[in-house]
Amino acid sequence: NAGVTQTPKFQVLKTGQSMTLQCAQDMNHNSMYWYRQDPGMGLRLIYYSASEGTTDKGEVPNGYNVSRLNKREFSLRLESAAPSQTSVYFCASSSISYSNQPQHFGDGTRLSIL
Amino acid sequence: DQQVKQNSPSLSVQEGRISILNCDYTNSMFDYFLWYKKYPAEGPTFLISISSIKDKNEDGRFTVFLNKSAKHLSLHIVPSQPGDSAVYFCAASGLNAGNMLTFGGGTRLMVKP
């Protein structure tokens, strides 16, 4: 089982460039999430999609946009990359909203912005 | 203001001994708590969870304890093995539409052979 797949695994951008991070899950999960991980700060939620057709802001949404393309896919877009967005980005999914279910994570995209 | 805190950035333990990782939270609306384990260059992997209606949950070598009055939880690993060396994240959730999690900053556990 692939689980949660993120592409690309690594990317280097210049300030001002745009980019879309892709995420797909094959577990038939309803909810999907984007996090960023910075040293000493754990994972912080950027955006989430509780179900297909809905998206909502998390803790740190500024500078990002998302699209829930279908039930499987949830993309994260940086319209104008800034050095402060250098981070490791994780996508996650979970089965049911309004329920305590563990989230399953992809292996991350390491993004550097020069 | 961090709602979930792991005050020990790192912990070193001898193989075979007990590892105790701690986590504190401030939001009294949290009712579900999880521990994730993360190896380098991989995503976090779910380890064990506990609901606020319990004070202990056990799964093999891993036990999570919850003290609601102190807003504190801990993860015990007995016996510790070198393969347990990883970063451990505590996370918390309240009943919400998106099943959102709030994570602590992580504790790096090193188990020495």
Side-chain angles (χ1 to χ4, degrees), chain A residues 37-96:
Chain A
Q37 184 197 3
D38 301 296
M41 302 191 71
L43 284 79
R44 293 182 292 168
L45 183 65
I46 305 170
Y47 270 93
Y48 68 100
S49 171
S51 61
E52 187 178 357
T54 68
T55 61
D56 284 287
K57 295 179 180 179
E59 181 184 354
V60 289
N62 291 345
Y64 305 95
N65 286 301
V66 290
S67 295
R68 183 74 184 266
L69 304 171
N70 47 55
K71 190 171 185 179
R72 289 186 63 249
E73 299 173 287
F74 189 38
S75 63
L76 178 72
R77 183 162 177 84
L78 287 70
E79 290 290 353
S80 179
S84 61
Q85 294 176 306
T86 293
S87 188
V88 182
Y89 292 85
F90 289 100
C91 177
S93 68
S94 67
S95 58
I96 305 171

Side-chain angles (χ1 to χ4, degrees), chain B residues 20-86:
Chain B
I20 300 176
L21 293 87
N22 294 302
C23 178
D24 297 296
Y25 63 96
T26 59
N27 189 338
S28 58
M29 299 302 291
F30 288 146
D31 63 357
Y32 182 61
F33 304 89
L34 308 89
W35 284 93
Y36 280 84
K37 177 180 181 179
K38 186 183 178 305
Y39 292 120
E42 294 183 8
T45 302
F46 170 69
L47 191 58
I48 192 169
S49 63
I50 188 167
S51 166
S52 61
I53 62 173
K54 295 184 176 182
D55 55 18
K56 176 182 174 181
N57 188 28
E58 194 171 354
D59 183 2
R61 296 186 297 114
F62 302 91
T63 303
V64 56
F65 295 92
L66 175 62
N67 182 333
K68 285 179 292 184
S69 61
K71 294 190 175 66
H72 177 84
L73 63 156
S74 61
L75 174 68
H76 293 209
I77 306 173
V78 184
S80 300
Q81 299 174 354
D84 296 329
S85 297

Side-chain angles (χ1 to χ4, degrees), chain A residues 4 23 31-35 74 90-94 103-106:
Chain A
V4 179
C23 175
S31 302
M32 298 185 73
Y33 312 83
W34 276 105
Y35 292 88
F74 189 38
F90 289 100
C91 177
S93 68
S94 67
Q103 293 179 15
H104 300 263
F105 285 80

Side-chain angles (χ1 to χ4, degrees), chain A residues 4-37:
Chain A
V4 179
T5 302
Q6 293 184 236
T7 55
K9 294 188 184 304
F10 303 95
Q11 185 69 48
V12 178
L13 294 178
K14 294 181 179 179
T15 298
Q17 288 185 317
S18 62
M19 171 167 192
T20 300
L21 280 62
Q22 306 288 351
C23 175
Q25 52 92 9
D26 63 2
M27 295 174 283
N28 201 34
H29 284 171
N30 289 306
S31 302
M32 298 185 73
Y33 312 83
W34 276 105
Y35 292 88
R36 59 178 289 173
Q37 184 197 3

